[in-house]
Amino acid sequence: MTARIMIVDDEEPIRDSLQGLFEDEGYLVVSAASGEEAMARLRKQSVDCVLLDIWMPGIDGLETLSRIHQVDANLPVIMMSGHATIDTAVRATRQGAFDFVEKPLSFDRLMILCRNAVQKRRLEQENSDLKRQEKDHHSRRELIGQSAVIREVKALIKRVALSDSPVLIVGEHGTGKAVAATLLHEASKRKDGPFVEVNTASVIVNRMDSELFGHEKGAFTGALHPQRGRFESANGGTLFFDEVTELSLSAQAKILRVMQERVVQRLGNPTPMPANVRLIAASSHDLEQVLRDGQLREDFYYRLNVVSIRMPSLRERIEDMPLLVETLAAEQANELGGEPVRFSSEVLSELMAYHWPGNVRELRNYIERCHILMPGEEMTRESMLPPDQSTTQISHSTTAAKASVAMSGVEADSFHEAREAFERTYLLQSLEKHEWNISRTAADIGMERSQLHRKIKAFGLVPPEKESL
């Protein structure tokens, strides 16, 4: 993963020299001419290390260091100074600086310090990511909202959880059926047992028996090792079938038998094993129509449908939109870094007017896109990104909106490639907007002229009149 560093120094030659040095070594570089500019950039974009000059106009390096650690307490900051005393170095260290270097700078020493700082940052991030993943896992196990319909669903889940009967959860894609299944398990007497999910659409049909019931070594060609089935793994807990209508009629009959007898047999082993599981199934299809089409056994359907929970679409609880947007924006900021993207009241009204065919899942993806393209900024009517990139249902002519639409057709194998493609499109449209005037473009987008020149060269951007030569 490419590391991003920030260089903060009021002397442009030093910034340019260090930027060239680190870019030659493969780093991504963000530069700032003052402590104030550095803080503004940090609130919008996360970095892995900061090189910070001490003596600067405005807020000095020590004050900037303090403010940086208020935003990100673990961000390594290497202090630089040509007029420092031992007392200054000690103060910087006590304030949490990663290290201290004197000018004139030794590029070799600076490179080693930066590499060590980035490595330390990565190790700390890996540890915090593990903790955050656990936290995010919990955040995705709740139904966000206070509307009447979602309160009814929450209340029904609590009542149904006390039973051990099968439950059928229905609703459109992205309404939170898997979340509801998890909540049912956690509120049940089986909460200390396993929760095992089977995404039926992802299992190869001729391997379904092995996946569900397990197999012994040599039970069939390719069975090189014994394997526990999902029923066996979920014993004492809950087994959740997502998109249950994807099961074959044969698999439905076998599952029905397990539900009745509470035992399973591995392929290649006649010995029955206990399968004391609670079954929860979910579907986004019209089950009455699936029954009529003969793709769902009636006895299996009625055995599953002891209790039914219908998950409301986002359109049915649109009053939850402000809370959902705020919660999901904070979630993305935790996952991707930076401050949450904000939404004006006009934009919220636009979002509430959109039909959201993908429901909360689509909204989560939209908020993630907004955070990637406009981190820490307020989305206004003029700058908002359209929820549906494939249509012009919400049409705006701003650079950000144009760039996001342009990106919809870009294929990228990684986030790094996608970001570079967006940067290239964004810079090209900004340059065209200002008729390739470098000074006006740099001022408009908040980038230094030298950095803009470097980006133009890196992306191979050429003015129209030169392209025709």
Side-chain angles (χ1 to χ4, degrees), residues 2-8 22 27-31 38 42 45-52 68-69 72 74-80 97-99 109-122 125:
T2 305
R4 181 186 286 111
I5 65 170
M6 175 179 283
I7 299 168
V8 187
F22 281 98
Y27 289 86
L28 299 174
V29 179
V30 179
S31 63
L42 276 176
Q45 186 178 50
S46 62
V47 299
D48 299 299
C49 177
V50 177
L51 306 181
L52 176 61
I68 287 174
H69 283 163
D72 186 342
N74 297 318
L75 179 59
V77 180
I78 299 171
M79 307 299 292
M80 307 180 297
F98 180 80
D99 214 318
R109 170 170 162 73
L110 199 57
M111 190 64 66
I112 291 172
L113 283 176
C114 192
R115 189 180 301 122
N116 291 341
V118 169
Q119 184 178 18
K120 177 177 180 288
R121 170 75 162 178
R122 292 283 165 80
Q125 283 184 329

Side-chain angles (χ1 to χ4, degrees), residues 175-189:
T175 51
K177 297 185 292 296
V179 176
T182 306
L183 291 174
L184 276 167
H185 171 73
E186 291 182 341
S188 74
K189 60 186 178 183

Side-chain angles (χ1 to χ4, degrees), residues 40-241:
R41 291 182 179 276
L42 276 176
R43 289 189 177 94
K44 295 182 179 181
Q45 186 178 50
S46 62
V47 299
D48 299 299
C49 177
V50 177
L51 306 181
L52 176 61
D53 187 31
I54 286 185
W55 302 110
M56 295 184 296
I59 61 172
D60 64 14
L62 292 176
E63 175 62 22
T64 304
L65 172 65
S66 176
R67 296 189 187 186
I68 287 174
H69 283 163
Q70 288 175 14
V71 175
D72 186 342
N74 297 318
L75 179 59
V77 180
I78 299 171
M79 307 299 292
M80 307 180 297
S81 178
H83 312 284
T85 63
I86 294 177
D87 179 61
T88 305
V90 170
R91 284 179 60 198
T93 304
R94 285 179 176 172
Q95 284 186 215
F98 180 80
D99 214 318
F100 186 94
V101 293
E102 291 186 89
K103 296 178 180 178
L105 301 169
S106 166
F107 287 164
D108 288 341
R109 170 170 162 73
L110 199 57
M111 190 64 66
I112 291 172
L113 283 176
C114 192
R115 189 180 301 122
N116 291 341
V118 169
Q119 184 178 18
K120 177 177 180 288
R121 170 75 162 178
R122 292 283 165 80
L123 290 173
E124 289 175 345
Q125 283 184 329
E126 286 177 10
N127 185 43
S128 71
D129 284 347
L130 290 173
K131 295 178 180 178
R132 187 167 61 236
Q133 284 171 13
E134 178 64 20
K135 182 179 179 181
D136 291 340
H137 183 54
H138 283 288
S139 75
R140 292 181 187 234
R141 292 188 308 200
E142 58 180 308
L143 296 172
I144 303 165
Q146 295 297 328
S147 60
V149 287
I150 207 67
R151 289 202 308 268
E152 289 176 8
V153 169
K154 292 177 181 178
L156 182 56
I157 286 173
K158 288 182 179 179
R159 291 200 302 271
V160 172
L162 301 177
S163 163
D164 214 23
S165 300
V167 179
L168 186 58
I169 306 173
V170 295
E172 296 177 9
H173 289 293
T175 51
K177 297 185 292 296
V179 176
T182 306
L183 291 174
L184 276 167
H185 171 73
E186 291 182 341
S188 74
K189 60 186 178 183
R190 295 175 176 268
K191 62 182 179 181
D192 295 326
F195 177 83
V196 178
E197 181 176 348
V198 181
N199 189 331
T200 56
S202 66
V203 180
I204 301 172
V205 175
N206 61 4
R207 295 297 302 272
M208 183 61 77
D209 284 1
S210 171
E211 190 73 24
L212 295 180
F213 312 121
H215 63 257
E216 297 292 348
K217 179 179 179 180
F220 52 85
T221 303
L224 304 179
H225 307 282
Q227 176 181 301
R228 300 172 69 194
R230 299 297 182 93
F231 272 97
E232 193 177 342
S233 297
N235 186 47
T238 303
L239 186 60
F240 172 51
F241 284 98

